[in-house]
Amino acid sequence: MLETVRARKVPTRQEIEKYLKDMSNWGRWGDKGGAGAVNLITPEKTLAATKLVKKGRTVSLSFPLPVVPTLENSQPVQFYMKRLPWIDGGGAALDYQGIFCHGFSVTHIDALCHVWDRNGSWDGTNPDDNLTFDGGKYGTVDAWKDGIVTRGVLLDIPKLRGKPCVTLDTPVHGWELEDAARKQGVKVGPGDAVFVYCGREEYAATNDGLYATPPAPYPGLHASCLPFIRENDLAVFSGDMEDAAPNEYGLAFTIHAIIFAFGVAMLDNVSLKRLARVCQEEGRYEFMLTANPLFLEGGTGTALNPVAVF
Amino acid sequence: MLETVRARKVPTRQEIEKYLKDMSNWGRWGDKGGAGAVNLITPEKTLAATKLVKKGRTVSLSFPLPVVPTLENSQPVQFYMKRLPWIDGGGAALDYQGIFCHGFSVTHIDALCHVWDRNGSWDGTNPDDNLTFDGGKYGTVDAWKDGIVTRGVLLDIPKLRGKPCVTLDTPVHGWELEDAARKQGVKVGPGDAVFVYCGREEYAATNDGLYATPPAPYPGLHASCLPFIRENDLAVFSGDMEDAAPNEYGLAFTIHAIIFAFGVAMLDNVSLKRLARVCQEEGRYEFMLTANPLFLEGGTGTALNPVAVF
Amino acid sequence: MLETVRARKVPTRQEIEKYLKDMSNWGRWGDKGGAGAVNLITPEKTLAATKLVKKGRTVSLSFPLPVVPTLENSQPVQFYMKRLPWIDGGGAALDYQGIFCHGFSVTHIDALCHVWDRNGSWDGTNPDDNLTFDGGKYGTVDAWKDGIVTRGVLLDIPKLRGKPCVTLDTPVHGWELEDAARKQGVKVGPGDAVFVYCGREEYAATNDGLYATPPAPYPGLHASCLPFIRENDLAVFSGDMEDAAPNEYGLAFTIHAIIFAFGVAMLDNVSLKRLARVCQEEGRYEFMLTANPLFLEGGTGTALNPVAVF
Amino acid sequence: MLETVRARKVPTRQEIEKYLKDMSNWGRWGDKGGAGAVNLITPEKTLAATKLVKKGRTVSLSFPLPVVPTLENSQPVQFYMKRLPWIDGGGAALDYQGIFCHGFSVTHIDALCHVWDRNGSWDGTNPDDNLTFDGGKYGTVDAWKDGIVTRGVLLDIPKLRGKPCVTLDTPVHGWELEDAARKQGVKVGPGDAVFVYCGREEYAATNDGLYATPPAPYPGLHASCLPFIRENDLAVFSGDMEDAAPNEYGLAFTIHAIIFAFGVAMLDNVSLKRLARVCQEEGRYEFMLTANPLFLEGGTGTALNPVAVF
């Protein structure tokens, strides 16, 4: 692990850059690299995840698709209705859904081609080559077309801290993820999908009902979380808050660097408040996660509805 | 059961109309009616479904989102790319996805408000009241926001018939569903999701690569399948072909009548060829199904990626 | 004229309501009513307008289509590119333009079905009957499909007042329109298109570059302008600022009431700064206006590019 | 002129290629090149055009925006309605218009960056450099933001030939444009906008109501028309049919080559049947044309409503 973080200290920019380079997963999965760390979700891992289900209780981790413009959500989902008459007095209602999934409002998955830094995009690709007017070529969302069924783990930061939510002044640090896991009595490991509950709704209640109103700052996760994600070989990582912004390092991305450096699938803008409550009720912080991206060839991500099953 | 169908005969229009009326599920689930027959997927049913998983093998039932206009697909998915520069030499690729899910090409789920006949829409609602410019009020897709995890069963008609595909002249009749289940050694029951494989791709290969090129005719399922669906209390019903069209009855809808009469969730335009092959390989026709509609309040359906887990 | 306004006083709500009722144009144009006051642009009027052209100098009154979300512009124009290879080494660039024209940013024309108050919509129609999922039936933008070529007149309020722009505290009153016309030496009359320059860009420069950041207040035109519009029988009315908001009357609409009460076409979000400069340079405040709405059957308005010709 | 065409013979591929090269307008308008041949519409030309108006009669050259998918029109205009309640019992109707203007159905203008051949795009630009995810850089539709007001001329081929329409076997040849002008008693010249009426609606009546149902063939204009366009220094060229397809030359484009070789603005899918009738009634084939593209920075073209004024 990054020694600085192990010592519960905030790393320097140089340390982070070195870490991203030394721990890079580029090339790790050979010709299956397009799926990145989701390769860690083996059939055995999926099978084991199904055995975590004890009751059959399902919980959506999706916010409603945001159809109304807000300061947080400058490109709301377009939702328009149609109605068709049909024979014999029948009829049909139809609708159009225009989704620009990235940003701070739509619950979505990020494909591995979504972001990059000056060293390039996932697995050593060059965005200039990889991106066309018809979509990306490599590391696109269809690499995960057969769905993601794996073990999910919730880490509850408000519970750890005894505070309602993460704030601008108190980003989540890497050692807190370890503390939360320990306190909750849960271990994380390869192929897991980890969700970090930050109290987004509680924070929003103090900010006109919104989490992030561009431009920065927004509260969220600190770059010091990177070793936790990589060294536990997570396949999926998610929080109800995103990378704390702006980052003091001037790096292109902090947490989102796990996409291009480690090949980890990120779920953005998940709704975790109810999940945290259910974990509390059920007395456990692990569950079967089912997260099925839409099958869009070349896509940089899609809206989806991740569901936890207890 | 409809006596005519039990006798392996094609019913009359009057018989079908009487059947839909007598066997209607309107009112059956009280104030939980908005979710319709998905109420039959109890936590126990979900739990039991997870126990069907023996290997952790996942199979998508989704076609790629169709982005190119074809004769089958007059409103293809709009897929447009954007690229944003970012600080420190980084960048992001983003895309827009405009989806009109109904029709013959996008793999999607139909909400219960989607279709109706002259007697009204699901649970006795009136489409004139139920549908607004901002979406439906009742029987909308968000009733299923917590996802669908249940037992899935594949019925393989080409295998039953020893023919590559269902054709215009040979719609699937209700007694064939029973025959297929018996031959495959599988029983269906309450809360199940049944998928009827008709050999869509094989048929398309004889029709310029397309399944349905409006207007009718299209091959598919015959109205005589209705009793099988209702009397087995299926929660979800699906085929890789839709209602055989035109129907000889002049009814507004035949198989799609299960939406407004019985409250059954339909998955349209699923891809079953690979699933049929995997069932054959695995030697079993049941699996855990995970089908998570997007969480769109008021929606008449959404694209989704149903995944079978063996 | 409304006596209060003639006396250069702000009218009461009751006076405005009475005025809208007494001076209503409902029924005035019989079976040609769908085009409203644009009926006043007779061929003779159009011919006369062409004679105003002395130099052939053209000036667009359109802002660029706003493609970037801002606080003013929550539903920016969607602008996405495509590129197609072609035979023999050729190719084509194409793009998609998704326009939600109403609001505060897109230069557009309002159809007569666009707004209404509790007494109904234009010409006595009922919005409940007039509006369908496929568009409006009456008073829609296609009533003007043959284009609008008429005399245009600019009224320059900053010039009148000797101030850079209209502000929240200083809405434009009706008697100022008369004063501006008199000072500029121009008379307005039936069938004219009048543009009221308020200094939108100058105001925006004091407000983070934006004119209107919902919710209200926004600066603009006061209800006392209504008699000027109706008694001069204008066919088209426009300002670079809209109805001053909120209105102190609690009326549904103030200036926009000319749509449903008088049948006048409104052009919203026009760019008049350059036009004002050109008028000054040319030493005259009248010109030929050409304003051609897109031919959209049932539309509530469309983006367009009005052009003044000197 | 191309000698072959002067001799009323069909040129060879080599002759056409040489012609396009020899008569290229690349560089002709220096730093005003982005507007191409529209530079030929000087203020004097615009002024003269206004003097052609004798009656004030206006005629739209636009088809209705096509909102229903057809075989001709695989990407119809998206037209969706919204309705908003307002204070004091008022309300508003709004709509969304999603337009993909290129193709065979939407009346639109082509920007100079729209098409290219293996020698490059207009004025020597390279499409690889010129086209970005945010639009084109040069030769884009906003070069014409101040609108096009010029002399319009209709050439009536069915009238010339005494046949109802151009057909697959009878493309329009260049010498026929001269013949039509002569027969109609009209001369064309620099800065003119020429419209070639081919009888699209009459042809469509023989083809299920459609003009062009991809893939080729479609009837239209032959490559031999190129000299007529270039040597008369037209600014705008248009037909109700497009380049006859496929072309026997294997060239990337025939008539559309005027975009990248000569910098001429093309109006595609114009409706000329009514215009032809009005010309006949008025006894003249020239008029004032007003054609105002939407002001879209970087656009490859826009829908518009060209209007002829007599």
Side-chain angles (χ1 to χ4, degrees):
Chain A
M1 194 199 250
L2 227 170
E3 291 306 314
T4 321
V5 175
R6 192 195 304 273
R8 300 188 166 235
K9 286 186 183 149
V10 168
T12 65
R13 173 171 170 134
Q14 286 69 27
E15 287 173 318
I16 296 172
E17 288 191 291
K18 183 168 190 306
Y19 187 82
L20 289 174
K21 187 175 176 195
D22 291 350
M23 302 300 282
S24 164
N25 278 329
W26 289 10
R28 179 171 172 186
W29 291 286
D31 60 8
K32 293 185 177 170
V38 170
N39 280 296
L40 297 168
I41 307 176
T42 58
E44 295 72 26
K45 181 77 187 176
T46 293
L47 176 60
T50 64
K51 297 193 188 304
L52 296 173
V53 179
K54 307 299 181 190
K55 285 191 174 173
R57 182 178 188 181
T58 63
V59 179
S60 170
L61 310 187
S62 176
F63 286 106
L65 284 170
V67 298
V68 175
T70 67
L71 295 187
E72 181 179 275
N73 176 25
S74 58
Q75 293 179 88
V77 170
Q78 296 178 297
F79 175 42
Y80 295 113
M81 293 285 286
K82 279 286 177 193
R83 181 176 170 169
L84 285 184
W86 212 251
I87 61 166
D88 199 33
L94 316 136
D95 62 70
Y96 175 77
Q97 300 156 20
I99 305 176
F100 190 88
C101 75
H102 297 292
F104 298 98
S105 301
V106 176
T107 304
H108 69 274
I109 193 166
D110 287 335
L112 300 182
C113 66
H114 169 47
V115 286
W116 58 89
D117 72 4
R118 54 182 165 173
N119 298 312
S121 46
W122 166 241
D123 232 3
T125 55
N126 179 341
D128 290 343
D129 299 330
N130 195 42
L131 302 174
T132 79
F133 289 103
D134 295 317
K137 298 177 188 167
Y138 187 81
T140 51
V141 74
D142 49 300
W144 305 322
K145 77 179 172 70
D146 280 322
I148 292 172
V149 182
T150 193
R151 178 181 181 243
V153 171
L154 180 79
L155 300 179
D156 185 333
I157 301 302
K159 184 184 171 84
L160 172 74
R161 292 181 175 178
K163 303 273 173 129
C165 61
V166 172
T167 62
L168 287 170
D169 296 334
T170 59
V172 179
H173 286 102
W175 49 89
E176 292 181 287
L177 302 184
E178 294 184 345
D179 292 348
R182 191 177 314 112
K183 181 170 178 183
Q184 295 172 199
V186 68
K187 280 180 185 292
V188 302
D192 278 355
V194 168
F195 295 84
V196 181
Y197 175 51
C198 300
R200 177 173 169 142
E201 290 87 344
E202 311 305 324
Y203 174 76
T206 70
N207 189 42
D208 292 324
L210 305 172
Y211 157 51
T213 49
Y218 333 116
L221 307 178
H222 186 268
S224 57
C225 295
L226 290 169
F228 180 88
I229 298 165
R230 174 63 181 84
E231 292 169 30
N232 285 304
D233 252 347
L234 305 184
V236 178
F237 185 73
S238 179
D240 59 345
M241 291 184 179
E242 302 203 23
D243 312 25
N247 65 75
E248 67 266 42
Y249 302 106
L251 284 165
F253 298 96
T254 55
I255 300 303
H256 271 65
I258 64 175
I259 294 174
F260 53 82
F262 306 150
V264 173
M266 285 196 76
L267 300 178
D268 288 338
N269 305 312
V270 289
S271 170
L272 299 180
K273 183 177 181 178
R274 181 168 156 232
L275 181 65
R277 185 169 52 73
V278 172
C279 284
Q280 180 85 20
E281 288 170 8
E282 299 290 338
R284 58 197 178 105
Y285 286 84
E286 59 178 3
F287 45 85
M288 179 177 84
L289 172 75
T290 161
N292 303 337
L294 298 182
F295 182 4
L296 175 61
E297 293 172 326
T300 68
T302 79
L304 85 176
N305 182 354
V307 172
V309 191
F310 287 83
Chain B
M1 195 200 247
L2 226 171
E3 290 306 315
T4 322
V5 176
R6 191 194 307 271
R8 299 186 166 236
K9 286 186 184 150
V10 168
T12 65
R13 173 171 170 134
Q14 287 68 29
E15 287 172 318
I16 296 172
E17 288 191 293
K18 183 169 190 305
Y19 187 82
L20 289 173
K21 187 175 176 192
D22 291 351
M23 302 300 281
S24 164
N25 278 330
W26 289 10
R28 178 171 172 187
W29 292 287
D31 61 8
K32 293 185 179 170
V38 171
N39 280 296
L40 297 167
I41 308 175
T42 58
E44 295 72 25
K45 180 78 186 175
T46 293
L47 177 59
T50 65
K51 296 193 189 304
L52 297 173
V53 179
K54 308 298 181 192
K55 287 192 173 171
R57 183 179 188 180
T58 62
V59 179
S60 170
L61 310 186
S62 177
F63 285 106
L65 284 170
V67 298
V68 175
T70 66
L71 295 186
E72 181 179 277
N73 176 25
S74 58
Q75 292 176 89
V77 170
Q78 297 178 297
F79 175 41
Y80 296 112
M81 293 284 287
K82 278 287 177 193
R83 182 175 169 168
L84 284 184
W86 211 250
I87 60 166
D88 199 33
L94 316 138
D95 63 70
Y96 175 77
Q97 300 156 19
I99 304 177
F100 191 87
C101 75
H102 296 292
F104 296 98
S105 301
V106 176
T107 304
H108 69 272
I109 193 166
D110 287 334
L112 299 181
C113 65
H114 169 46
V115 286
W116 57 90
D117 72 4
R118 55 182 165 174
N119 298 313
S121 47
W122 165 243
D123 232 4
T125 54
N126 179 341
D128 290 342
D129 298 331
N130 195 41
L131 303 173
T132 79
F133 289 101
D134 295 317
K137 297 176 189 168
Y138 187 81
T140 52
V141 74
D142 50 299
W144 304 322
K145 77 180 172 69
D146 280 323
I148 292 172
V149 182
T150 192
R151 179 180 180 244
V153 172
L154 180 78
L155 300 179
D156 186 332
I157 301 302
K159 184 183 169 85
L160 173 72
R161 292 181 176 178
K163 304 271 173 128
C165 61
V166 172
T167 63
L168 287 170
D169 296 334
T170 58
V172 180
H173 286 104
W175 49 89
E176 292 181 288
L177 302 183
E178 293 184 345
D179 291 348
R182 192 177 312 111
K183 182 172 177 182
Q184 296 172 199
V186 68
K187 280 181 185 292
V188 303
D192 278 354
V194 169
F195 295 84
V196 182
Y197 176 51
C198 300
R200 176 175 171 140
E201 289 87 346
E202 311 304 324
Y203 174 77
T206 70
N207 189 42
D208 292 325
L210 305 173
Y211 156 51
T213 48
Y218 333 116
L221 307 178
H222 186 269
S224 56
C225 296
L226 290 169
F228 180 89
I229 298 164
R230 174 62 181 85
E231 292 168 30
N232 284 305
D233 253 349
L234 305 185
V236 177
F237 186 74
S238 179
D240 60 346
M241 291 184 179
E242 302 203 24
D243 313 24
N247 65 76
E248 68 265 44
Y249 303 106
L251 284 164
F253 298 96
T254 56
I255 300 302
H256 272 65
I258 64 175
I259 294 174
F260 53 81
F262 307 150
V264 173
M266 286 197 76
L267 299 179
D268 289 337
N269 306 311
V270 289
S271 170
L272 300 181
K273 183 178 182 178
R274 183 169 155 231
L275 181 65
R277 185 169 53 73
V278 171
C279 283
Q280 182 85 19
E281 289 170 8
E282 300 290 338
R284 58 197 178 103
Y285 286 83
E286 61 178 1
F287 45 85
M288 178 177 85
L289 172 75
T290 160
N292 302 337
L294 298 183
F295 182 5
L296 176 60
E297 292 173 327
T300 68
T302 78
L304 84 176
N305 183 354
V307 172
V309 191
F310 288 83
Chain C
M1 191 199 251
L2 226 170
E3 291 306 315
T4 321
V5 175
R6 190 193 306 272
R8 302 188 164 235
K9 287 188 184 149
V10 168
T12 64
R13 173 171 171 134
Q14 286 69 27
E15 287 172 318
I16 296 172
E17 288 191 292
K18 182 169 189 306
Y19 187 81
L20 289 174
K21 188 175 175 192
D22 291 350
M23 302 299 281
S24 166
N25 278 330
W26 288 10
R28 177 171 172 188
W29 292 287
D31 61 8
K32 293 184 178 170
V38 171
N39 280 295
L40 297 168
I41 307 176
T42 59
E44 295 72 25
K45 181 77 187 175
T46 293
L47 176 60
T50 64
K51 298 195 188 302
L52 297 172
V53 179
K54 309 297 180 192
K55 286 193 173 172
R57 182 179 188 182
T58 62
V59 179
S60 170
L61 311 187
S62 176
F63 286 106
L65 285 169
V67 298
V68 175
T70 66
L71 295 186
E72 181 179 276
N73 176 25
S74 58
Q75 292 176 89
V77 170
Q78 295 178 298
F79 175 42
Y80 295 112
M81 294 284 286
K82 278 286 177 194
R83 181 175 170 168
L84 284 185
W86 211 252
I87 60 165
D88 199 34
L94 315 138
D95 63 70
Y96 175 77
Q97 300 156 19
I99 304 177
F100 191 88
C101 75
H102 297 292
F104 298 98
S105 300
V106 175
T107 303
H108 69 273
I109 193 166
D110 287 335
L112 300 182
C113 66
H114 169 47
V115 286
W116 58 89
D117 73 3
R118 54 182 167 175
N119 298 313
S121 45
W122 165 242
D123 232 1
T125 54
N126 179 341
D128 290 343
D129 299 331
N130 194 42
L131 303 173
T132 79
F133 289 101
D134 295 317
K137 297 177 189 168
Y138 186 81
T140 52
V141 74
D142 49 301
W144 305 322
K145 77 180 171 72
D146 280 322
I148 292 171
V149 181
T150 193
R151 176 179 184 247
V153 172
L154 180 79
L155 300 180
D156 186 332
I157 301 302
K159 184 182 170 87
L160 173 73
R161 292 181 176 179
K163 303 273 173 132
C165 62
V166 172
T167 62
L168 287 170
D169 296 335
T170 59
V172 180
H173 286 103
W175 50 89
E176 293 181 287
L177 302 184
E178 294 183 345
D179 292 348
R182 191 178 314 112
K183 182 170 178 182
Q184 297 172 198
V186 68
K187 280 181 185 291
V188 303
D192 279 354
V194 168
F195 295 84
V196 182
Y197 176 51
C198 299
R200 177 175 170 141
E201 290 87 345
E202 311 305 325
Y203 175 77
T206 70
N207 189 42
D208 292 325
L210 305 173
Y211 158 50
T213 48
Y218 332 116
L221 307 178
H222 186 268
S224 56
C225 296
L226 290 168
F228 179 88
I229 298 165
R230 174 63 181 84
E231 291 168 32
N232 285 305
D233 252 348
L234 305 184
V236 178
F237 185 73
S238 180
D240 60 344
M241 290 184 179
E242 302 202 22
D243 314 23
N247 65 75
E248 67 265 43
Y249 302 107
L251 284 165
F253 298 96
T254 55
I255 300 302
H256 272 64
I258 65 175
I259 293 174
F260 53 81
F262 306 151
V264 173
M266 286 196 76
L267 298 179
D268 289 337
N269 306 311
V270 289
S271 169
L272 300 180
K273 183 178 181 178
R274 183 170 154 228
L275 181 65
R277 185 169 52 73
V278 172
C279 283
Q280 181 85 19
E281 289 171 8
E282 299 290 339
R284 58 197 178 105
Y285 286 84
E286 60 178 2
F287 45 85
M288 178 177 84
L289 172 75
T290 161
N292 303 337
L294 298 183
F295 182 4
L296 176 60
E297 293 173 326
T300 68
T302 79
L304 84 175
N305 182 355
V307 172
V309 191
F310 288 83
Chain D
M1 191 197 250
L2 227 170
E3 291 306 314
T4 321
V5 175
R6 192 193 305 270
R8 300 188 166 235
K9 287 187 183 149
V10 168
T12 64
R13 174 172 169 132
Q14 285 68 27
E15 288 172 319
I16 296 172
E17 288 190 292
K18 182 169 189 306
Y19 187 82
L20 289 174
K21 188 176 175 191
D22 290 350
M23 302 299 282
S24 165
N25 279 329
W26 289 10
R28 178 171 172 187
W29 291 287
D31 61 7
K32 292 184 178 171
V38 171
N39 280 296
L40 297 167
I41 307 175
T42 58
E44 294 72 26
K45 180 78 187 174
T46 293
L47 177 59
T50 64
K51 297 194 188 305
L52 297 172
V53 179
K54 308 297 181 193
K55 286 192 173 171
R57 183 179 188 181
T58 62
V59 179
S60 170
L61 310 187
S62 176
F63 286 106
L65 285 170
V67 299
V68 174
T70 67
L71 294 186
E72 180 178 276
N73 176 25
S74 59
Q75 293 177 89
V77 170
Q78 296 178 296
F79 175 42
Y80 295 112
M81 294 284 286
K82 277 288 177 193
R83 182 175 170 168
L84 284 185
W86 211 251
I87 61 166
D88 200 33
L94 316 138
D95 62 70
Y96 175 77
Q97 300 155 20
I99 304 177
F100 190 88
C101 74
H102 297 293
F104 298 99
S105 301
V106 175
T107 303
H108 68 274
I109 193 167
D110 287 335
L112 299 182
C113 66
H114 169 47
V115 285
W116 59 90
D117 72 4
R118 53 183 167 173
N119 298 313
S121 46
W122 166 242
D123 232 2
T125 54
N126 179 342
D128 290 343
D129 298 331
N130 194 41
L131 303 173
T132 78
F133 289 102
D134 295 317
K137 297 176 189 167
Y138 186 81
T140 52
V141 74
D142 48 300
W144 304 323
K145 76 180 174 68
D146 280 323
I148 292 172
V149 182
T150 192
R151 178 180 181 244
V153 171
L154 181 78
L155 300 180
D156 186 333
I157 301 303
K159 184 182 171 86
L160 173 72
R161 294 182 175 178
K163 303 273 172 130
C165 61
V166 172
T167 62
L168 287 171
D169 296 333
T170 59
V172 180
H173 286 103
W175 49 89
E176 293 181 287
L177 301 184
E178 293 183 346
D179 292 348
R182 191 177 314 112
K183 181 170 179 181
Q184 295 171 198
V186 68
K187 281 181 186 290
V188 304
D192 278 355
V194 169
F195 295 84
V196 182
Y197 175 50
C198 300
R200 176 174 170 141
E201 290 88 345
E202 310 305 324
Y203 174 78
T206 70
N207 190 41
D208 292 326
L210 304 173
Y211 157 51
T213 48
Y218 333 117
L221 308 178
H222 187 268
S224 56
C225 296
L226 290 169
F228 180 89
I229 298 164
R230 173 64 181 84
E231 291 168 32
N232 285 304
D233 252 348
L234 305 185
V236 177
F237 184 74
S238 179
D240 60 345
M241 290 184 179
E242 303 203 22
D243 312 24
N247 65 75
E248 66 266 43
Y249 302 106
L251 284 165
F253 298 96
T254 56
I255 300 303
H256 271 64
I258 64 175
I259 294 174
F260 53 81
F262 306 151
V264 174
M266 286 196 74
L267 299 179
D268 289 337
N269 306 312
V270 289
S271 170
L272 299 180
K273 183 177 181 178
R274 183 169 155 230
L275 181 65
R277 185 168 53 73
V278 171
C279 283
Q280 180 85 20
E281 289 171 8
E282 299 290 339
R284 57 194 179 107
Y285 286 82
E286 60 177 1
F287 46 85
M288 178 177 83
L289 172 75
T290 161
N292 302 337
L294 298 182
F295 182 4
L296 175 60
E297 294 173 324
T300 68
T302 78
L304 85 176
N305 182 354
V307 172
V309 190
F310 288 83

